[in-house]
Amino acid sequence: MKRVVIVICDGLRADMVTPEITPNLIRIAKAGTHFQAHGGVFPSTTRTTAAAIATGCKPGRNGLEGNAVALDMGNGLEVFSVGPPGFRDKMHQALGRTLKSPTMSERLRDHGGAVIYGNASPGAALFLDPDGHGHLVHRDLAFGPGRTTLAPHGASHDATGDAALTARFIDEVLHDRKPALALLWQCEPDHTQHEVALGSPAHLDVVRAADAQAGRVYDNIRHDIDSGDVLLICASDHGHETIGEIVDLEDILVAAGLKDAKGSPDVAIAPQGTSATIYLSADAKSRRDAIAEHLQNDPRIARVVVGEDIAALGLDPEGGIDLVVLGHANEDLSEAGMPGTAIAFQGDLKIANNVGCGQHGGLGRYEQSPFLICAGAGFAPGLTIDSATSVIDIAPTAMHHLGHVADDMDGRALQS
Ligand SMILES: [Zn+2]
């Protein structure tokens, strides 16, 4: 039976996939095809990319447009993190839906099913299958089809947990259950990259650990890859930049008289790491151009995108976001010598931004360079492809291998 196995190494930059740092991924690349001009979605955040990977559609089409989003729960706009387990139900309550596009779990519900083991945030796991069509197992939540409750996995949120979860994934999913789609989402190296200098020994350790888990998965399905039954997709969701400076947009707009007060519902600022999205209440819509002009004059801000122009970023101009703020990114080195430095943002919600450590969410060169390797039928061994591909191509590629037509996605089925 045809099967697809997807292994995500959260946040692993394409330029770190080298024989010295990731020998296992290079081994898999030699058995398959290495896509070397692979790109992410905007915002280049984990939860938006999880939804984009699951649906094959950009955030504007699949309906999850940020790692943090503004919802009106009855008291005006309020910014919520998509991360906690309860966000999915809040979104459903406010909008009457979760994602607008079907996930692979939904498409495969009656065609061999999907089993997902997630080790990043609860939200990143949930938005791979928010309506419970397949099996989804995370440390804080676990569901079977129909959102029946299962036991959480209990693995820790670090490289040790990734290793324990990978062992279970191999035994329980790859050898035992053999669903049409098996997806493992490791939290590293992203989890550590947010806390240390990119390129530092602590960073390299977790990259090597994530690489080792990918190698374990590969070694356990190698025969089925060679026979053409299994397609193995190893990928990351986004890369990282080093935070050079943090800009608090809430402070700036309140000080300028363009937002009523901290946390006020007129101007809701959702931080996305190295970008931000701003939602305006009906009464504040008239302030849009003044806000754009004020922020555009800040030398740390590269671009403010408004109105119909946000469609070019892959967002929905009718989806609630009124402005997108992009910070400057450059080639400056981290303390440990890795290139790529960007401005990070705070908004109504305060997120974990650490100057000198990694972050993502914007359009910087390195955060927009995840990696992609496909090994199996249709992918020539040892080939490298330099034409542009995207994280939204993963779902159509997986569905194509399984024999399903999925031409209603934004992405396209890849081959070599
Ligand atoms: Zn991520």
Side-chain angles (χ1 to χ4, degrees), residues 58 60 65 305-318 324:
K58 293 176 185 176
E65 300 197 281
V305 184
V306 301
E308 290 297 318
D309 291 346
I310 73 168
L313 297 171
L315 297 176
D316 178 7
E318 309 299 322
V324 175

Side-chain angles (χ1 to χ4, degrees), residues 167-188:
R168 281 188 57 177
F169 180 76
I170 290 168
D171 285 348
E172 298 169 2
V173 187
L174 300 185
H175 289 314
D176 212 12
R177 305 177 61 155
K178 301 188 174 177
L181 172 66
L183 190 156
L184 171 69
W185 195 297
Q186 302 190 67
C187 71
E188 296 290 7

